[in-house]
Amino acid sequence: MDFCINLVKQDRAVRTLAGAALLLLAAAVPASADLPVEPIGVTEKLPARWPDTWIQAHDINFYALSDGKVVIFDVAAENRNYKGSISAAQFASFIASTTRPEIYVAETYYSQRVRGTRHDVITVHDKSTLAPVAEIPLPGGKRGQYVTFKNTLQLLNDENWLAVYNFSPAATVSIVDVAARRIIGEASVAGCAMIYPTGTRNFMSLCSEGVMLVTALAETGAVAKQWRTPAFFNADDDPLFAMPTMIGRMAYFPTFHGNIQPLDLSGDEPKVLLRWSLLNDADRKANWRPGGWQIAAAHRSGRLYVLMHPDGYNGSHKNGGPEVWVFDVGSGKRVARHVLKNRGVSIEVTSGAQPYLVVTNDSFQLDVYDAGDGKWLRMFGDHAVTMPMVLHAVQ
Amino acid sequence: MNSNWLDAITERLTRDVARRTSRRGFLGAFGAAIVGGAALPVLPVARADAAEGQPAPPEQDPGDPTTCEYWRNCAIDGYLCSCCGGTANTCPPGTEMSPITWIGTCRNPGDGKDYIISYNDCCGKTSCGACFCNRNERDRPIYRAGTANDYNWCLGTKSLAYHCTVTLILGTATKPI
């Protein structure tokens, strides 16, 4: 303790000397008006509509899962690119509305953090203040928990409903009325998983036997009808990655062995379109494969971006990769290979006319590239994010 | 040279473990049937010859359970309980083992047999943080739950806070899953 007091005394002495030096300096320059008195308690706000150079980085924080978060970054900015953040606890799911100034987080809390009474909720945040404005209870202790995906929390019915994936391990989907802030329905998706909106109120789920389960919802949110499509993939031989990328209502699912399975989700009945390959003969010989976590991204111009690695093997499908390959979805032809400065784990492309390619690298920092020519522009993250597994471009 | 992004985490956390392969996941698993009516195969499992609960001689269970390379970790995605106060088949003090898990098939170099490994999670405390491994052999996406390591398999426990993962032998495999 005495040591500490001595340190304080020394510090005060130094400050006194520094203050005297500043006074002498001030006396030597012309007098000017004082800086204005500044108010206490001012907090920044964001615009209600966010620029298309912003992304939302979902940090699962695997080192302390009860304390995940979503950080909003402006990837076009060299400095001050951290715009704000919201909490996203315990394997949360996240989605932003495009029609309301709201963002939604499906998450779980315990009364004593990792024990006690379990609370599953959808927390509604205001886009300007980033403050929570409502909580929608999700009763039953069944909200699914998994490494973060996009298709575990989705908007349906012109964004008037939220759909939440449950896994207890019974697989179901809860339907929530966004305006009323309450659950209005639940559908069993036994043997299947995920929520891929199709048509207006319908959604489909992928199933282990290689089919889609389509759930048609009535205006009330109750299940009107469910059916399974014929099998169109084989989960043993060449599984579809569960996280597709979208261009409009077209979903592009990469497969473990380097194919793209397009699905047209614009109608109430999803359509299976012709599968095409990312690989030429030389690529196959070098055993290039897609891999990572969020391995595909797309831009409305018709460009598809896929994270690739050579020397693939059974189990390499999450290893990330050193290159992002760019394809024209109309022709299926590769138009560019971007060699990454740092190996990538997840990728996203911003939605503006001059898109950026954003990569969660293998140090869990964010690298920003020009999506057109692949030029590396900047890296940021510091310790702001520890494990940003999923990146959401502002739409 | 590291080719696995999970290595980066491991190195940041434990720089002395260059031999580890890292990973990110969580686990659990077993019961395809539990997942609800899925057309999943009946598990091709036969009981191991050793008496249940008896430790195997080292030559038949070779390797260091605190490394990602240990043979039972072939499909793991999470923290090794052996590094967290537990062992390859017991949970650390104060945690609770999930009764529901996902499974993998790993070849034991000690006897050349394929074993069905149950990757049960130990639950109720925050993340262990040590020995993060992510190997993913035969791992399948989340829509095939019984062989998917991306779920938090802390299910059926008092708390679903994920801490670490054990690797229990369920039996020998008559064919790989």
Side-chain angles (χ1 to χ4, degrees), chain A residues 62 114 147 165 235-236 318 362, chain B residues 5 8 26 132 144 149 159:
Chain A
F62 196 58
V114 293
V147 184
Y165 178 57
D236 290 314
K318 295 178 191 167
D362 61 0
Chain B
W5 56 273
F26 333 100
F132 188 51
R144 177 164 281 180
N149 66 16
S159 164

Side-chain angles (χ1 to χ4, degrees), chain A residues 25-339:
Chain A
L25 188 64
V29 298
S32 61
D34 294 343
L35 290 173
V37 174
E38 292 170 336
I40 295 171
V42 177
T43 301
E44 294 292 333
K45 288 185 177 177
L46 300 179
R49 286 197 68 82
W50 294 353
D52 57 23
T53 59
W54 289 15
I55 64 153
Q56 301 138 109
H58 189 159
D59 177 7
I60 188 172
N61 192 8
F62 196 58
Y63 313 113
L65 288 154
S66 61
D67 197 21
K69 62 188 173 184
V70 177
V71 179
I72 297 106
F73 288 108
D74 181 357
V75 301
E78 190 63 44
N79 298 304
R80 298 191 182 191
N81 36 44
Y82 189 128
K83 310 308 291 185
S85 70
I86 57 176
S87 292
Q90 186 64 38
F91 294 102
S93 293
F94 163 88
I95 195 167
S97 175
T98 64
T99 58
R100 291 177 164 84
E102 292 180 344
I103 42 189
Y104 310 102
V105 177
E107 56 187 341
T108 297
Y109 294 102
Y110 279 92
S111 57
Q112 279 80 24
R113 198 168 71 85
V114 293
R115 60 188 174 83
T117 306
R118 175 177 173 174
H119 300 281
D120 290 355
V121 297
I122 295 174
T123 308
V124 183
H125 297 261
D126 180 88
K127 274 191 173 179
S128 294
T129 64
L130 295 186
V133 294
E135 272 189 6
I136 305 168
L138 299 172
K142 58 191 173 188
R143 186 185 74 79
Q145 305 204 9
Y146 21 72
V147 184
T148 301
F149 281 92
K150 284 189 174 178
N151 293 88
T152 48
L153 180 66
Q154 289 286 293
L155 286 154
L156 307 176
N157 196 15
D158 295 326
E159 300 199 352
N160 289 306
W161 295 348
L162 279 162
V164 186
Y165 178 57
N166 303 310
F167 185 76
S168 65
T172 71
V173 174
S174 295
I175 307 300
V176 174
D177 184 316
V178 171
R181 312 288 203 213
R182 65 181 178 86
I183 292 176
I184 56 172
E186 183 173 2
S188 169
V189 293
C192 310
M194 301 301 206
I195 304 152
Y196 306 94
T198 185
T200 303
R201 286 196 304 263
N202 293 3
F203 67 90
M204 73 87 173
S205 307
L206 289 177
C207 308
S208 60
E209 70 268 40
V211 308
M212 287 185 269
L213 171 67
V214 186
T215 301
L217 297 169
E219 289 182 3
T220 60
V223 176
K225 186 182 171 188
Q226 285 184 306
W227 69 93
R228 287 175 188 251
T229 66
F232 68 100
F233 70 98
N234 186 313
D236 290 314
D237 299 339
D238 191 17
L240 267 58
F241 284 94
M243 188 156 33
T245 188
M246 306 292 297
I247 300 180
R249 301 304 301 274
M250 286 289 297
Y252 296 91
F253 287 85
T255 73
F256 277 28
H257 289 281
N259 296 302
I260 291 291
Q261 175 61 66
L263 298 178
D264 181 350
L265 303 181
S266 60
D268 287 343
E269 291 195 34
K271 291 180 187 161
V272 179
L273 304 183
L274 200 59
R275 179 181 289 211
W276 49 277
S277 177
L278 299 168
L279 310 174
N280 59 30
D281 289 343
D283 303 329
R284 286 191 192 87
K285 200 169 181 183
N287 211 5
W288 281 90
R289 296 186 187 185
W293 189 247
Q294 183 179 346
I295 62 170
H299 187 263
R300 56 186 155 82
S301 60
R303 291 287 190 260
L304 172 69
Y305 302 79
V306 186
L307 183 59
M308 303 291 294
H309 64 280
D311 305 318
Y313 58 89
N314 179 359
S316 72
H317 56 282
K318 295 178 191 167
N319 284 5
E323 295 190 16
V324 169
W325 292 4
V326 189
F327 295 85
D328 177 87
V329 293
S331 64
K333 295 209 178 322
R334 185 171 63 203
V335 295
R337 286 173 70 159
H338 296 336
V339 177

